[in-house]
Amino acid sequence: MTILVTGGAGYIGSHTCVELLNKGYDIIVADNFSNSHPESLKRAAELTGRLFRVVQLDLQDKCQVEELFSENEIESVIHFAAFKAVGESMKNPLKYYQNNLAGTMVLLEAMDRFNVKKLVFSSSATVYGKEADIPIAEKEEIGAANPYGRTKQMIEEMLNDLFQSDPKWSIAVLRYFNPIGAHKSGRIGEDPSGIPNNLLPYIAQVAIGRRDQLIIHGDDYETKDGTGIRDYIHVVDLAKGHLKALEKISYTPIYETYNLGTGKGYSVLEVVEAFQRACGRPIPYTIGTRRAGDSAVCYADATKAKNELNWAAAIEIDEMCEDIWRWQQQNPEGYASVEETAGVKEATGA
Ligand code: WQD
């Protein structure tokens, strides 16, 4: 039996594929490579010594998705495929609703048709409203403040309705806080296209010399040093949380939501200091104005995942920064520095 990983060529997807393969799972990756690079999968095969199928498809293509299910014995699905840039979603909401919602609905309809009813869904802490108590627990009020977050919120509601309508479904919804870091080898990592929206890839590009300086979005928040506080979690810890969720849904039908965070918050300035320790060079920055939509403090109450998934993040902030730096040094231009890899098929045995 096989695990279908949608969006498996992406940052979190590729790290989860490595953990799945190392654990002995057979996987199939479906990805349209709109925001990811086939090279990440070639490297996942190299890192694990495992071959796996890769199918380039868009989840909105109903025929291709149904063919995928009819041709393969799929046991469960881990669904990563989505657009995920908050700022872009505010400029182009329809692109996000169309891609994230329609793609998910085609996937769920195919799963239902082929009686594949075990799902781990990639959600986000961005679904929580601004009024949520800190640390944020799963029971907190939901109220996404941007179209990207609203697509995640709507899909969560879809999944709950599905479970209520047919208790044969078994669904784990994972709300990520701030995923950062890279595989220890430096061979796979976060490779944003264009100017990074998120803090760590931006800092890494300053450190490697691709960007002149970091602009810190405001230092007048009610925090220890005035800069925003977030719950940064290593992408490998996050990936391991998916394997725990996969086990959990295989025992008995559930619909449960879990925060995947460390339960600790670090300010922007603390992260800059940690990255300077990791790379051994100064990170130049200036203080800019607050970024619209940002909150002052956001970090997880991660006790539910600890108690029910027997999972907890283990990697600390300095090691997260060291792993990012190793990836950035080995891949100054991300995967783009690699010739277009026609070789995905032979490397992954597709
Ligand atoms: C972190 C902190 C910024 C960039 C986002 C999405 C969320 C999730 C994770 C998908 C904040 C500050 C950042 C910069 C800065 N993604 N910052 N200068 O906004 O907490 O969460 O990514 O699920 O949906 O909202 O992450 O990395 O953008 O910002 O000062 O150039 O760094 O103000 O305090 P965020 P981030």
Side-chain angles (χ1 to χ4, degrees), residues 12 83-87 122-127 146 148-149 152 176-180 195-203 213-218 221 227-232 266-268 286 289-291 293-296 298:
I12 301 166
F83 293 149
K84 63 148 201 127
V86 169
S122 165
S123 190
S124 167
T126 201
V127 304
N146 56 72
Y148 158 72
K152 293 296 186 181
Y176 312 155
F177 281 70
N178 289 62
I180 67 169
I195 301 171
N197 301 303
N198 297 137
L199 181 65
L200 270 298
Y202 200 103
I203 290 177
Q213 62 174 355
L214 170 70
I215 310 288
I216 294 181
H217 298 321
Y221 288 101
T227 62
I229 291 176
R230 295 293 184 276
D231 184 331
Y232 298 97
Y266 286 95
S267 74
V268 175
T286 57
T289 55
R290 291 184 178 192
R291 182 173 64 177
D294 273 359
S295 59
C298 176

Side-chain angles (χ1 to χ4, degrees), residues 99-253:
N99 185 70
N100 293 4
L101 297 185
T104 300
M105 289 168 73
V106 169
L107 173 69
L108 294 175
E109 283 162 349
M111 288 177 72
D112 198 35
R113 177 144 180 263
F114 288 88
N115 199 30
V116 178
K117 298 188 173 180
K118 293 176 187 160
L119 174 69
V120 175
F121 174 60
S122 165
S123 190
S124 167
T126 201
V127 304
Y128 291 114
K130 282 187 128 17
E131 311 313 314
D133 289 342
I134 305 291
I136 302 179
E138 290 84 352
K139 63 179 179 7
E140 283 299 324
E141 186 79 17
I142 298 302
N146 56 72
Y148 158 72
R150 277 191 278 276
T151 66
K152 293 296 186 181
Q153 181 175 331
M154 290 175 193
I155 294 167
E156 286 193 17
E157 285 162 10
M158 247 190 246
L159 295 176
N160 195 11
D161 288 343
L162 200 50
F163 177 71
Q164 299 303 332
S165 73
D166 172 2
K168 284 205 265 335
W169 279 87
S170 193
I171 298 167
V173 171
L174 304 182
R175 291 176 182 158
Y176 312 155
F177 281 70
N178 289 62
I180 67 169
H183 188 267
K184 270 269 165 290
S185 63
R187 295 288 288 151
I188 57 175
E190 187 171 10
D191 183 21
S193 45
I195 301 171
N197 301 303
N198 297 137
L199 181 65
L200 270 298
Y202 200 103
I203 290 177
Q205 290 188 13
V206 170
I208 201 81
R210 281 178 66 182
R211 310 263 168 218
D212 295 337
Q213 62 174 355
L214 170 70
I215 310 288
I216 294 181
H217 298 321
D219 68 346
D220 58 351
Y221 288 101
E222 297 284 304
T223 61
K224 60 185 103 169
D225 58 23
T227 62
I229 291 176
R230 295 293 184 276
D231 184 331
Y232 298 97
I233 176 171
H234 196 292
V235 65
V236 173
D237 276 334
L238 194 69
K240 289 177 176 170
H242 287 71
L243 271 68
K244 291 288 189 182
L246 199 58
E247 285 167 33
K248 179 80 177 177
I249 62 170
S250 66
Y251 298 136
T252 174

